[in-house]
Amino acid sequence: MIENRDEVKTALLVIPYEDVNDTALRMEELEALVDTMGLKTLSGITFRIREYSSATMLGSGQVEELKENILFHGCDCVVFDTSLSPRILRNLEVALDCCVIDREEVILQIFADRAKTREAKLQVALARAEYSLPRLRRRWEDLSQQRGGVKGSRGAGERQLELDRRALSERITVLKREIEEVKKIRTVQRASRSRGKTYSFALVGYTNAGKSSLLNLLTSSDILAEDRLFATLDPTTRTMKLKNRVEVTVTDTVGFVSNLPHHLISAFSSTLEEAKYADTLIIVLDMANPAAEQCYETTLEVLENLGAANSDRIVVFNKMDAVSSEIALSRLRVAVPDHIEISVRNRTGIGELTDAMWEKAVTGRSEKTFTLDPSDGKALSELYRSYTVLSTEYRDGMLEVRVLT
């Protein structure tokens, strides 16, 4: 039989919950994640966890109900909106006779598909290897494109399994060493920007909030900006000039998502550090998302995990041309009174944002004027390299250079 490798796999979504109030939003987000991953959602089902089972998480009756849904819909896999231990994954696959994928694996696959630079690819490879190590013995390898397993781990016996584990452990060690080298390079680049006294901003927020589109608009760039989750995994830094020729840098960062696994935050630490070390964070909220309030809370939680909870910030309400919930908007206006409302699509509110950025960039800095011989090009170049040059003016045969210090 010839296998059609381009055939789209189908999935049944499962939301285990303790609080029924958040199931609708969780289902919507999981469906978006699964769609980004490349699976087709057939249906979704919710289960209240009254008593946690260490074997399958779900109760025996719930497992039977789930199995009936699998048979009814004829799906290829089941996707759980939670992280599952290797033991629970194996037990569920045996009980359901179907491939089981957890939320962590979905996010890992999306990251793997979207990693472009060497740094992002290394970080994804490390996260997938660490995820795969305790899960080498799996029953369902026909969906290997959706999992982080290694070649050879197909049940060839305990000896082969141990060889696979050893090879994967060695690969993890190598990947960590390579990532450390990349971190050193990024640290040098960051230190170079710091020496140049260029004020830095970092765009942070929930995935698909419009950060990349905002960066493109502010800096006249053309970086990838898609209406999909995790369109950006690699930090991209661009320079822009505000009024009075004040030069700043703006960095686009990987989007946040609720329940992002902690080891993924660790794996992407060098990428996320761009937010930690920026002078000011620009938190971008998607007001077209009915869960904007929860997205804001998730953003604050991730920033706290990064050690950036007290960082200076500007909060931006984006997509004001497509507000989905006036109630959520009203609540956020109260919760975050000092915010700026914009629409990247309609280019409204951008002037107010750049004015706020200028205020941040010049606050606490003083002006200084240097008088140079017009022929001293080396000294002039050094001023441009070390300071933000506001203006140059010839006066009495000399060149007066006004800078921010």
Side-chain angles (χ1 to χ4, degrees):
M1 180 180 292
I2 299 176
E3 180 182 359
N4 182 7
R5 296 184 180 275
D6 295 328
E7 181 183 355
V8 177
K9 302 294 184 179
T10 57
L12 175 67
L13 310 188
V14 178
I15 310 291
Y17 71 90
E18 294 180 1
D19 181 4
V20 70
N21 293 324
D22 65 349
T23 55
L25 292 175
R26 286 176 58 190
M27 184 68 77
E28 183 178 343
E29 181 175 278
L30 182 60
E31 187 171 353
L33 287 169
V34 167
D35 176 68
T36 303
M37 181 186 181
L39 296 177
K40 178 183 178 182
T41 299
L42 293 181
S43 184
I45 186 171
T46 61
F47 288 113
R48 183 173 184 177
I49 306 299
R50 292 182 174 86
E51 185 176 345
Y52 188 89
S53 168
S54 60
T56 57
M57 183 178 68
L58 304 175
S60 58
Q62 292 173 328
V63 171
E64 286 302 315
E65 183 181 347
L66 180 54
K67 190 171 183 178
E68 291 175 3
N69 274 271
I70 293 171
L71 293 174
F72 177 79
H73 292 288
C75 57
D76 296 304
C77 65
V78 178
V79 182
F80 277 75
D81 187 46
T82 187
S83 292
L84 301 175
S85 70
R87 179 170 180 259
I88 289 178
L89 270 173
R90 286 194 295 269
N91 289 341
L92 283 172
E93 287 188 337
V94 171
L96 300 173
D97 193 32
C98 183
C99 172
V100 176
I101 299 175
D102 64 3
R103 179 186 179 88
E104 192 169 337
E105 193 167 356
V106 172
I107 294 175
L108 278 171
Q109 182 60 43
I110 295 172
F111 277 26
D113 290 341
R114 294 185 171 271
K116 302 299 180 184
T117 66
R118 178 172 178 267
E119 179 180 10
K121 290 177 180 178
L122 287 172
Q123 291 169 327
V124 169
L126 174 61
R128 295 189 74 176
E130 291 178 333
Y131 176 86
S132 299
L133 187 58
R135 296 172 172 83
L136 286 178
R137 183 184 292 175
R138 297 292 293 273
R139 298 182 66 231
W140 300 92
E141 297 300 335
D142 62 309
L143 291 176
S144 59
Q145 69 269 25
Q146 271 89 40
R147 45 176 91 267
V150 297
K151 184 178 180 181
S153 57
R154 295 178 181 267
E158 292 300 321
R159 185 168 179 270
Q160 184 61 48
L161 190 61
E162 288 304 316
L163 290 174
D164 290 339
R165 285 174 177 162
R166 185 183 307 169
L168 195 53
S169 296
E170 292 173 354
R171 175 154 176 75
I172 289 173
T173 301
V174 171
L175 287 169
K176 286 182 176 179
R177 185 166 58 245
E178 292 181 359
I179 288 175
E180 284 303 315
E181 293 298 319
V182 173
K183 283 184 178 181
K184 291 178 182 178
I185 295 173
R186 187 169 293 282
T187 300
V188 171
Q189 293 173 338
R190 190 182 296 117
S192 176
R193 293 200 299 268
S194 178
R195 285 196 301 270
K197 299 183 185 299
T198 302
Y199 199 90
S200 60
F201 294 90
L203 299 170
V204 300
Y206 215 76
T207 181
N208 204 35
K211 300 183 298 298
S212 299
S213 297
L214 179 56
L215 178 66
N216 285 338
L217 180 57
L218 290 174
T219 65
S220 300
S221 303
D222 57 355
I223 64 171
L224 176 66
E226 293 183 300
D227 186 21
R228 294 179 71 86
L229 303 185
F230 300 115
T232 299
L233 290 185
D234 308 289
T236 304
T237 301
R238 297 287 185 268
T239 60
M240 66 174 293
K241 282 186 170 58
L242 301 170
K243 63 182 179 181
N244 294 340
R245 299 184 60 186
V246 174
E247 186 174 83
V248 298
T249 62
V250 185
T251 300
D252 187 18
T253 62
V254 61
F256 303 153
V257 69
S258 62
N259 300 320
L260 187 65
H262 287 291
H263 79 268
L264 267 183
I265 294 178
S266 175
F268 277 79
S269 60
S270 62
T271 301
L272 294 169
E273 277 177 355
E274 292 296 323
K276 180 178 179 180
Y277 291 107
D279 293 311
T280 294
L281 303 178
I282 300 178
I283 299 178
V284 183
L285 298 181
D286 176 7
M287 299 315 300
N289 188 338
E293 293 173 278
Q294 290 90 329
C295 293
Y296 181 58
E297 292 172 1
T298 296
T299 299
L300 296 182
E301 289 174 5
V302 176
L303 290 176
E304 184 175 359
N305 291 335
L306 292 173
N310 298 320
S311 297
D312 187 52
R313 62 191 59 171
I314 299 172
V315 179
V316 172
F317 293 2
N318 187 27
K319 304 184 185 180
M320 289 300 296
D321 57 307
V323 174
S324 63
S325 172
E326 291 293 340
I327 295 176
L329 175 59
S330 298
R331 288 176 178 171
L332 281 169
R333 280 172 171 166
V334 173
V336 193
D338 296 327
H339 67 274
I340 298 172
E341 300 181 1
I342 71 169
S343 168
V344 173
R345 176 181 295 176
N346 294 344
R347 302 195 175 194
T348 57
I350 304 303
E352 185 180 353
L353 173 58
T354 55
D355 286 345
M357 293 170 66
W358 182 85
E359 289 286 347
K360 296 286 187 182
V362 300
T363 297
R365 300 175 69 180
S366 58
E367 293 185 15
K368 187 173 183 179
T369 300
F370 292 89
T371 302
L372 306 177
D373 188 308
S375 62
D376 193 351
K378 185 176 181 180
L380 182 60
S381 297
E382 181 65 22
L383 287 178
Y384 271 98
R385 189 184 71 82
S386 302
Y387 300 97
T388 296
V389 176
L390 298 177
S391 65
T392 58
E393 183 178 355
Y394 287 97
R395 190 185 299 273
D396 298 330
M398 300 298 287
L399 182 63
E400 291 186 354
V401 184
R402 188 163 58 96
V403 303
L404 274 180
T405 60

